[in-house]
Amino acid sequence: MSEEIRLSGEWFINETEEILPGTLHINESEKHIYLVLTKLCTPENPLSGIKARGKVSMIKGNIDTGGNILLYDCKFGGQHTQIFQRTQVAISVKYAFWNLNVANIEELRFPKVSVDFGEVLEWADLCFFESDYKDEMYAFKWKCEEKIEYSVDDNTCLTICPVFGGYPISVKQKEIHMNQKIVFQLSYEEPKQWRDIIKDIRILRNILSLGMCRSIYIDGIEYYHDSHKMEEIPEYIHPMKIFSGTGEVGKQKPGNPWEYLFTLKDLTDNGCMCLKNCFSKYQKLKPIVELATVAFHYKDISTEMLFLNLTQGLETYHARFVSDNPKVYFEMVDHLVQERYGVSSKDQYTSYALADRAFMISERNEDKTKQLHLKSRLGYLFYMRDEVWTGFIGYSREEFLQKMVDTRNYFTHYSESKENKIFSKEVMPYVNGILMAYLNFYILKEIGIEENKNLDSFRKKMVDINRTFDENKLDRI
């Protein structure tokens, strides 16, 4: 049964300057926070309601037992009024800052936050326990690597450090649990607004999800605020807890290391260059990464929806990182074909060269249009990976490309006449696997993951899909 924290007190709503009694409910394990406010009716105003409506940025609470708590990103539900008695309203809360009292939302700035993303120990590979048997006794030593520090920009520093004893050592039946964790600290030269810090945390979360091929959930967050500086040691700020009400929760499992696309070491080799790319390119990569990781965050996603997401991800990647200018793109394709076949003009194209050009510029009249078609964008991305991985499901590269377009158009612009042109239900999961491998390859290319490692991950993924298809095909016989 989930434990719930209940805090009663008075709550001040900045937008309406109301002070109302209420109870805050915090469920840490389920990541839910809601506040129930109560306003008593009076004989003069038997239907007295609460002024606040919709969404407010901040509510400040003074707890009856002492202390205060600040609620951020608060969404009001419908009010329930009992005539001549009271009005109540339930408010969902995204974040609750323990022992923080600021005058307004502009003061919600922090010089540092620490985030625990749960089971990322094997991915980070910064610490471990080593056992030693001596004199008929077992001894355990905790060993760790040096923390990693990296300047994200002129204002932001990221520190990734192993921590021992994040929670007390516990004994359960015959098992002893000794705790270790990896903490990601974001430090800011100039204290940063919480709404912007959330964006930095999401970047880290999506990078971890992509690298580990699974959904990552925040296990805990601590904040540092200038109001908590100690008089005796001014440079020290005591960290305080942030409760999360995002509802983003799941079983924290370490995942399988052989499934990782990349590890922390891959990001930090070569002077943290890949880590730098993750942040500097993220605004451009963001929709592509989010489309690629949707399969991890939503395990019950349908094959059709996943197909649309992956197709859109590839199309978006081409538009942002290859070309969105038809004239430039056609010149790029011709240069690529001429270089590959060792010719200097279109007049010298062989039938093979013309077939390759047609694969990347698929519409006959596309040279005269002002926009690139999906078929051309996909053709280019498939062509740039020389290996043909579609034969095992029964298609040539040209057939596969046409099926991609027909299937996307069928799902987005439904027509019964197109139903016989799309991928079958049986083959769709393998098509999605192929698209996922391609999309991951291009994302890792932009991040700067070492090329051989990127290629190994790509080919391993394709071999796994091929083998699974063959095994399932045998089961159907």
Side-chain angles (χ1 to χ4, degrees), residues 239-282:
M240 290 288 175
K241 187 167 186 175
I242 300 176
F243 297 98
S244 172
T246 59
E248 295 174 342
V249 64
K251 292 182 179 179
Q252 295 289 326
K253 295 180 180 179
N256 299 317
W258 57 86
E259 293 180 351
Y260 296 165
L261 287 180
F262 56 83
T263 64
L264 179 60
K265 188 176 185 300
D266 296 318
L267 294 179
T268 54
D269 277 350
N270 194 23
C272 292
M273 184 56 68
C274 293
L275 198 55
K276 178 180 179 180
N277 290 336
C278 286
F279 281 91
S280 64
K281 289 188 173 184
Y282 191 76

Side-chain angles (χ1 to χ4, degrees), residues 40-57:
L40 297 178
C41 298
T42 62
E44 295 78 18
N45 197 346
L47 293 173
S48 179
I50 296 169
K51 296 176 185 177
R53 295 285 194 282
K55 193 174 182 180
V56 301
S57 56

Side-chain angles (χ1 to χ4, degrees), residues 174-192:
K174 296 181 180 180
E175 296 179 352
I176 298 176
H177 296 271
M178 294 180 289
N179 291 283
Q180 57 180 338
K181 62 182 178 180
I182 303 297
V183 171
F184 294 74
Q185 291 183 343
L186 288 160
S187 305
Y188 303 98
E189 191 72 25
E190 182 69 28
K192 200 170 186 178

Side-chain angles (χ1 to χ4, degrees), residues 348-405:
Q348 297 173 303
Y349 283 2
T350 64
S351 58
Y352 294 107
L354 289 171
D356 282 357
R357 187 180 191 276
F359 189 70
M360 292 179 279
I361 304 176
S362 0
E363 301 295 333
R364 291 181 181 177
N365 62 344
E366 193 167 17
D367 290 4
K368 301 176 183 178
T369 65
K370 295 182 179 180
Q371 63 180 8
L372 295 173
H373 298 150
L374 171 66
K375 192 173 182 181
S376 295
R377 295 189 190 277
L378 294 177
Y380 178 89
L381 296 178
F382 293 150
Y383 183 79
M384 290 303 293
R385 290 282 354 108
D386 276 338
E387 299 92 342
V388 178
W389 294 103
T390 57
F392 73 88
I393 53 176
Y395 301 108
S396 67
R397 67 172 190 171
E398 287 79 12
E399 289 172 327
F400 184 83
L401 182 60
Q402 187 59 54
K403 284 275 186 185
M404 281 286 304
V405 176

Side-chain angles (χ1 to χ4, degrees), residues 56-72:
V56 301
S57 56
M58 192 171 78
I59 297 175
K60 296 190 286 185
N62 291 315
I63 309 305
D64 291 342
T65 53
N68 48 57
I69 192 165
L70 185 142
L71 310 181
Y72 175 85

